[in-house]
Amino acid sequence: MAPKADGTGAAAPEDAARRIAAGQHVKPFAFLGAHPHGAQWIVRTFAPGATAASLVDADGAKTPMQPAGADGVFDVVTARMPESRRIEAENPQARWTYEDPFRFGPVLGELDEHLLGEGTHWRLWEVLGAHVRHHEKAQGVAFAVWAPHARRVSVVGDFNDWDGRRHVMRRRGASGIWEIFAPGVAAGARYKYEVLGADGTLLPPKADPLGFAAELRPDNCSVVSHLPERGAVEAARRPGRDGADVPMSIYEVHLSSWRRGPAGRPLSWRELGEQLPDYAKDLGFTHIEVLPVSEHPFDGSWGYQPIGLFAPTSRHGDAAGFADFVAACHDAGLGLILDWVPAHFPSDAHGLARFDGTALYEHADPRQGLHRDWGTLIYNFGRTEVANFLIANALYWIKVFGVDGLRVDAVASMLYRDYSREAGEWVPNVHGGRENLEAVDFIRRLNARLREEAPQAITIAEESTAWPGVTRSEAEAGLGFGWKWNMGWMNDTLAYMAEDPMHRGAHHAKMTFGFHYAFSERFILPLSHDEVVHGKRTILGRMPGDRAAKFANLRAYYAFMWAHPGKKLLFMGQEFGQETEWSHDGELPFGALADPLHGGVQNLVRDLNRLHRESPALHRCDTCAAGFEWIDGAADEAAVIAFARKAPGAAPVIALFNFSGVERRDWRFGAPAAGRWRRVIDTADAAYGGPGTGPEVAIAAQATPSHGMAQSICVTLAPLSGALFEHTAE
């Protein structure tokens, strides 16, 4: 057998042995393991704490080894390359047998090393991290990590008494990848990386950036874990729903506080899969969107400060359990969207911060690399390997677990170098501007890669500024997202609804302005988790008036939201009008549903979702102006709004709202078509907790012109109410 490429052929000098024992040798594969020794072979091993060692042949025969210059270092000269990799070590108190990791060759192939080196390996999870595998006739775990500026990297864990001298990794050329095969290690083993910086500083032990599992906080080790069987995940997948002409109503959930198990513990992935999809399906939602599930040490971050981007949080179980949860959503006919956080990461010592002793993942300059608002670090999007890491992570959730899309958090903070910074606290781009050109390029590459590799998946931007073309393609100089949260609509309409109904006439434009730009992007209308915390009150709590009026306002607002162009998103608890702010430490007050007012809101949301799905006029033309027609947007003083939703070949829908606190009798409004109109939703209905509706069920349009239309309808509008009318074939 030929000698290993990194063999030296020379006997280990005493100073090398001393450096091995001191943890200072950075190339242990050059002298540990088996190497040519003239016409023979020399086998060296390091067994800390041992006073004697033997090489064990394949047939069990033992050849004593000799001390070789330092405590724990032994060698033996043999006539041929030994087939066995086992060493028996002993001291007066114990005897143990192990397979020497330094006698195994590399695991990574040349192609992997090349792609890793150029930062274009889109399936990083297949080569980096910890993989249980069979290698050179042995079972164990292959570890690999990127740390280009490190002097030494070791994997430490339960299997080596956390001793960084025992599994010093092999550096693979210029790629900056370190790897080692650890025989005998199995799934469930805890581990970290011990990194010696280029300046000789020993860094705090680091969790694996590609770890597939982690300990439950407050512990923070990575855990060797199997990834779910790809075939099973692929079989559970459902076609994506990226089209603008399909219904999309999203139920946003923080999994740990939706419901709790016994003694207040978070539900397991299995329990969530048994309960959450059926609940969301019963209410008519098409998607579930979950706050970040990547491992994070601090509950109060809600997942938005992730440490383990490749590890589903252990709060609910393991990776296989998460895969089962995804499948349960698909089995219920629901898409699953993950909140994904590429904008920043926490500075915890065991995380990515100064991973190899340098600013590896982040910017070194705090004017570029520190988020002042959150005390977190900003990825260096201009570094090829960092962009590769993030894009591969996005693909990982889609390819490995079959999720249907990603909602990208805090995009605005990525796009602007001066985001939340004063003058002098930021660095202009190469043109002297405030745009983060590297982040823009990263976002475009991300969306292009996802579209190429996973065209069924959707991407959603949480982008709160007027950046142009967020949902335009890269070829059109856009960012390439599928959808954008309409934060302007949310802020304006909530501000309007908070006004006393007597004074809403002066603020009418807040409710109607969104229609003027509704088709400039592909929008989702969000009432998200951010709107029900930190003293903002709940959506219900923002409504004016006594309790009955608050619920009436809320019902009218929801009907307006569902009738408005754009897809829908509602955070958990708002589907029944939660009265208390959301707390991540508790669970939703489902007991409130015994109250007819809360139960009525839930009934309304269920019916709005049903109508949204069944009426093409309410979803098919969400992103084109042809799907919307004004009837009356100028009734400021009356606080009345009327418009129509349309789609080719489908029955149009009229949406009529009275946001004033008084009844509007015999209110006439134009109808875009003659014939009969059936009232399909009335938020004043008793089934929704309202006072009840009038006798009209189907109303014939009269040949009386109004609002520029040849026919019209005359109805009485209850105060603080909304009604939807669908044209019938009669």
Side-chain angles (χ1 to χ4, degrees):
M1 183 178 292
K4 296 189 190 308
D6 58 2
T8 63
E14 290 188 359
D15 65 326
R18 286 193 293 269
R19 282 186 285 130
I20 281 285
Q24 297 174 349
H25 204 296
V26 296
K27 295 183 179 180
F29 283 90
F31 54 89
L32 292 179
H35 301 283
H37 185 64
Q40 299 176 304
W41 290 81
I42 186 167
V43 179
R44 305 186 188 93
T45 192
F46 178 52
T51 55
S54 299
L55 178 65
V56 182
D57 292 342
D59 59 5
K62 302 175 184 177
T63 302
M65 305 179 77
Q66 304 301 318
D71 288 343
V73 180
F74 301 89
D75 65 18
V76 64
V77 176
T78 67
R80 58 185 176 83
M81 173 71 171
E83 294 183 8
S84 172
R85 293 173 169 81
R86 289 188 298 150
I87 304 291
E88 182 180 274
E90 61 180 295
N91 59 33
Q93 289 77 38
R95 178 180 296 166
W96 63 98
T97 301
Y98 63 92
E99 292 189 87
D100 194 339
F102 298 104
R103 299 183 58 207
F104 289 87
V107 174
L108 294 179
E110 291 184 2
L111 177 59
D112 287 327
E113 184 180 357
H114 172 73
L115 294 175
L116 290 166
E118 67 177 18
T120 57
H121 201 305
W122 306 118
R123 284 165 174 73
L124 287 182
W125 65 88
E126 294 181 353
V127 290
L128 299 184
H131 295 268
V132 179
R133 64 178 56 190
H134 198 76
H135 180 58
E136 296 183 5
K137 300 181 180 180
Q139 188 69 20
V141 174
F143 296 93
V145 67
W146 179 56
H149 302 109
R151 179 182 296 183
R152 169 177 67 79
V153 181
S154 303
V155 60
V156 294
D158 295 326
F159 46 87
N160 62 13
D161 296 326
W162 303 91
D163 187 340
R165 302 171 298 172
R166 293 174 58 178
H167 287 83
V168 180
M169 304 175 80
R170 172 192 286 111
R171 182 177 179 123
R172 294 298 300 270
S175 67
I177 303 298
W178 299 75
E179 69 158 354
I180 193 170
F181 178 73
V185 180
R190 302 184 307 150
Y191 71 99
K192 284 186 176 180
Y193 293 114
E194 182 179 281
V195 181
L196 193 68
D199 62 356
T201 300
L202 187 63
L203 305 177
K206 295 288 189 178
D208 191 344
L210 270 288
F212 307 133
E215 289 184 296
L216 181 63
R217 47 75 178 116
D219 297 320
N220 53 38
C221 292
S222 298
V223 179
V224 176
S225 173
H226 293 286
L227 288 177
E229 290 293 331
R230 186 183 181 92
V233 171
E234 292 294 333
R237 298 180 68 167
R238 297 292 182 269
R241 299 182 176 90
D242 191 22
D245 60 349
V246 298
M248 184 186 296
S249 181
I250 303 168
Y251 186 52
E252 188 190 31
V253 179
H254 178 254
L255 294 175
S256 293
S257 59
W258 179 67
R259 277 196 175 119
R260 294 271 183 163
R265 64 163 175 79
L267 297 180
S268 68
W269 293 122
R270 178 184 60 80
E271 291 169 324
L272 286 165
E274 291 172 346
Q275 300 178 43
L276 179 55
D278 286 346
Y279 179 80
K281 179 181 180 180
D282 174 68
L283 290 176
F285 290 99
T286 64
H287 290 72
I288 294 172
E289 179 180 319
V290 294
L291 272 60
V293 299
S294 296
E295 193 59 82
H296 51 283
F298 178 44
D299 288 6
S301 77
W302 314 332
Y304 289 101
Q305 294 191 12
I307 287 286
L309 260 66
F310 287 78
T313 176
S314 55
R315 289 165 176 80
H316 307 293
D318 59 14
F322 177 68
D324 290 342
F325 170 69
V326 178
C329 292
H330 291 162
D331 288 342
L334 301 174
L336 182 68
I337 300 167
L338 301 187
D339 249 357
W340 186 61
V341 188
H344 61 119
F345 61 93
S347 59
D348 299 55
H350 70 283
L352 298 179
R354 298 192 65 81
F355 187 82
D356 64 356
T358 68
L360 186 61
Y361 288 88
E362 69 272 31
H363 287 277
D365 188 336
R367 294 177 299 168
Q368 295 176 274
L370 179 65
H371 255 308
R372 298 184 183 278
D373 288 353
W374 306 313
T376 51
L377 303 176
I378 301 171
Y379 288 102
N380 184 350
F381 301 111
R383 183 161 194 161
T384 305
E385 299 93 338
V386 174
N388 189 174
F389 170 77
L390 291 170
I391 294 173
N393 181 249
L395 283 167
Y396 168 78
W397 294 105
I398 295 165
K399 292 287 190 181
V400 175
F401 296 102
V403 304
D404 300 280
L406 302 173
R407 176 265 195 186
V408 183
D409 178 61
V411 171
S413 76
M414 300 167 66
L415 294 174
Y416 298 98
R417 287 171 171 256
D418 64 345
Y419 180 86
S420 196
R421 296 178 186 273
E422 301 295 333
E425 296 179 347
W426 58 281
V427 180
N429 63 33
V430 293
H431 305 298
R434 57 195 287 257
E435 299 83 7
N436 190 331
L437 302 179
E438 294 80 8
V440 171
D441 180 66
F442 161 73
I443 290 170
R444 288 173 173 163
R445 290 175 59 201
L446 165 72
N447 282 315
R449 179 57 54 180
L450 289 177
R451 192 158 42 252
E452 179 177 337
E453 300 247 357
Q456 80 288 347
I458 62 177
T459 57
I460 303 167
E462 186 210 16
E463 203 286 309
S464 55
T465 73
W467 185 281
V470 172
T471 58
R472 286 203 301 265
S473 70
E474 299 86 347
E476 300 172 300
L479 296 181
F481 284 102
W483 300 95
K484 172 183 174 176
W485 275 17
N486 194 336
M487 312 291 279
W489 174 90
M490 178 268 298
N491 285 320
D492 286 347
T493 57
L494 283 178
Y496 176 86
M497 294 304 299
E499 295 289 343
D500 188 309
M502 292 182 60
H503 307 303
R504 281 176 175 164
H507 305 276
H508 201 66
K510 289 186 180 296
M511 214 61 169
T512 59
F513 181 62
F515 293 105
H516 295 288
Y517 64 88
F519 312 108
S520 61
E521 300 274 9
R522 288 158 53 113
F523 281 123
I524 291 174
L525 310 181
L527 294 178
S528 76
H529 62 280
D530 278 329
E531 306 315 312
V532 294
V533 289
H534 302 323
K536 294 180 181 178
R537 298 168 292 173
T538 64
I539 305 301
L540 176 68
R542 299 180 186 215
M543 303 296 144
D546 60 19
R547 194 165 186 266
K550 286 180 181 294
F551 276 92
N553 273 294
L554 182 70
R555 294 191 300 267
Y557 182 48
Y558 281 177
F560 179 80
M561 174 181 175
W562 257 258
H564 195 289
K567 308 310 181 185
K568 326 300 175 189
L569 180 142
L570 204 63
F571 183 59
M572 65 181 201
Q574 303 315 309
E575 76 275 14
F576 56 80
Q578 184 172 346
E579 296 190 74
T580 56
E581 278 196 354
W582 166 57
S583 169
H584 69 273
D585 290 325
E587 65 177 353
L588 295 186
F590 285 106
L593 286 168
D595 183 331
L597 288 175
H598 289 290
V601 171
Q602 189 185 66
N603 290 338
L604 174 63
V605 169
R606 184 185 290 108
D607 284 353
L608 287 170
N609 275 331
R610 175 189 51 76
L611 186 64
H612 174 67
R613 290 194 318 276
E614 295 176 356
S615 175
L618 290 177
H619 65 251
R620 192 178 291 167
C621 290
D622 261 333
T623 62
C624 56
F628 173 84
E629 183 178 10
W630 269 119
I631 297 175
D632 190 350
D636 300 36
E637 292 304 317
V640 170
I641 296 174
F643 57 88
R645 295 294 308 278
K646 302 181 294 182
V653 172
I654 293 174
L656 180 63
F657 302 92
N658 175 17
F659 289 112
S660 76
V662 298
E663 183 180 75
R664 302 297 180 187
R665 299 191 65 83
D666 301 323
W667 189 272
R668 183 171 297 278
F669 57 97
R676 298 180 68 80
W677 292 80
R678 181 171 61 94
R679 186 177 57 210
V680 288
I681 292 286
D682 190 331
T683 65
D685 196 299
Y688 306 140
T693 57
E696 307 96 344
V697 175
I699 306 171
Q702 302 168 355
T704 302
S706 182
H707 297 96
M709 299 176 182
Q711 56 281 318
S712 61
I713 297 172
C714 187
V715 297
T716 294
L717 306 179
L720 306 175
S721 72
L724 303 181
F725 300 84
E726 187 173 50
H727 192 254
T728 72
E730 298 174 14

